[in-house]
Amino acid sequence: MDYKLEICANSIESALAAESGGADRIELCDNMSEGGTTPSYGTIKRCKDLLSIPVFPIIRARGGDFVYTEEEFEVMKTDVQMCKDLGCEGVVIGILKGDGNIDVDRCSELIALARPMQVTFHRAFDCCIDMKKGLEDIISLGCARVLTSGGAVHAYEGMDVIKDLVEQAGGRIIVMAGSGVNHNNVKAVIVQSGVKEIHSTAKTVIQFKDYFNINPNILPDYCQTDQRKVVFIKNILASKVK
């Protein structure tokens, strides 16, 4: 089976670099330093105008936790409709309840609104109180895949848990490993966890022009997808297939 590479792209330039490097799909987001929030209408539309690979915007009203107010939920519903109207192939969602369980009712509402787009459940899953139960809830919702680091900060550290999740899923849903996955550890992640899909930023720090007066307190580091890193990861995945 072919291994799939999803790139988390935080801009139109990152999205173009991801496709040029051979990515199979992008998760499109803004504010990557906060874990990703919904990108602008303009960013989504431009990606759909220029890219031939699937575009999955994240539907997240803000950074922080995954328990949302009624007004935040209304924003998320509007953003799902926007993605649908723009012809996106999928969206990425995740809502929890205050007790740490998956908010099945609200997620179900977003998924119904999203159809026929595919739906990925993002790493809100890693924050749920019971991952085994959470996985069954996500499967029952009809999500195509779930993104996880196995509850660890990085997927490399959560490989054993991810392996258990793959076994629990039993082909009912795609378990995609993500967070800190790069060309240095991707082979170990797929071999030890058994996943067939990988999520990576493949990012690099953008160097500011040296003629600017850069104060890091005013203008912090900014990262974008590096086409070369995407190629490295794709080559490793291709060699594993063989």
Side-chain angles (χ1 to χ4, degrees):
M1 179 186 291
D2 287 347
Y3 292 90
K4 301 294 185 183
L5 174 61
E6 175 181 276
I7 293 295
C8 180
N10 63 341
S11 67
I12 181 62
E13 293 300 329
S14 288
L16 292 170
E19 180 170 75
S20 296
D24 298 290
R25 178 178 62 246
I26 64 166
E27 179 198 65
L28 189 61
C29 72
D30 199 358
N31 298 312
M32 191 182 291
S33 62
E34 294 186 18
T37 57
T38 304
S40 71
Y41 174 94
T43 300
I44 300 171
K45 185 177 188 305
R46 197 61 181 156
C47 284
K48 285 301 302 168
D49 288 344
L50 297 179
L51 271 61
S52 59
I53 60 175
V55 176
F56 281 48
I58 191 170
I59 305 298
R60 191 176 177 212
R62 55 162 173 78
D65 66 21
F66 303 100
V67 182
Y68 299 102
T69 67
E70 189 58 40
E71 288 306 322
E72 289 168 338
F73 183 54
E74 289 299 319
V75 168
M76 294 165 80
K77 288 194 289 185
T78 301
D79 285 338
V80 168
Q81 186 63 53
M82 170 184 68
C83 293
K84 189 174 181 179
D85 292 343
L86 286 172
C88 293
E89 289 78 8
V91 289
V92 183
I93 71 164
I95 305 178
L96 302 182
K97 296 192 293 186
D99 62 4
N101 285 297
I102 305 295
D103 192 331
V104 173
D105 290 340
R106 280 183 162 184
C107 288
S108 180
E109 192 171 343
L110 289 186
I111 291 168
L113 182 60
R115 295 302 187 205
M117 292 187 292
Q118 268 196 13
V119 177
T120 297
F121 199 99
H122 60 52
R123 288 184 63 220
F125 170 62
D126 288 320
C127 296
C128 69
I129 196 167
D130 184 340
M131 296 181 74
K132 289 185 177 181
K133 178 182 182 301
L135 182 61
E136 294 301 325
D137 287 339
I138 293 168
I139 291 170
S140 73
L141 285 166
C143 293
R145 67 184 53 78
V146 57
L147 171 63
T148 181
S149 60
V153 175
H154 298 126
Y156 184 83
E157 301 156 358
M159 289 187 292
D160 290 342
V161 174
I162 298 173
K163 180 181 179 182
D164 290 342
L165 293 169
V166 170
E167 292 175 355
Q168 179 186 341
R172 295 176 294 161
I173 190 173
I174 297 166
V175 177
M176 177 169 60
S179 182
V181 180
N182 55 52
H183 60 280
N184 293 314
N185 60 29
V186 63
K187 186 172 183 178
V189 171
I190 61 176
V191 169
Q192 296 188 46
S193 70
V195 296
K196 295 295 187 287
E197 294 198 4
I198 288 291
H199 171 99
S200 176
T201 59
K203 65 185 178 183
T204 192
V205 177
I206 300 301
Q207 298 298 316
F208 295 115
K209 302 297 184 181
D210 57 12
Y211 50 76
F212 288 132
N213 178 23
I214 301 299
N215 182 332
N217 295 316
I218 297 174
L219 198 62
D221 286 342
Y222 178 67
C223 295
Q224 285 191 327
T225 300
D226 187 329
Q227 178 184 338
R228 295 167 300 176
K229 292 184 178 181
V230 179
V231 171
F232 289 156
I233 297 173
K234 280 292 292 185
N235 287 343
I236 292 167
L237 294 178
S239 66
K240 175 58 184 173
V241 171
K242 295 175 185 178

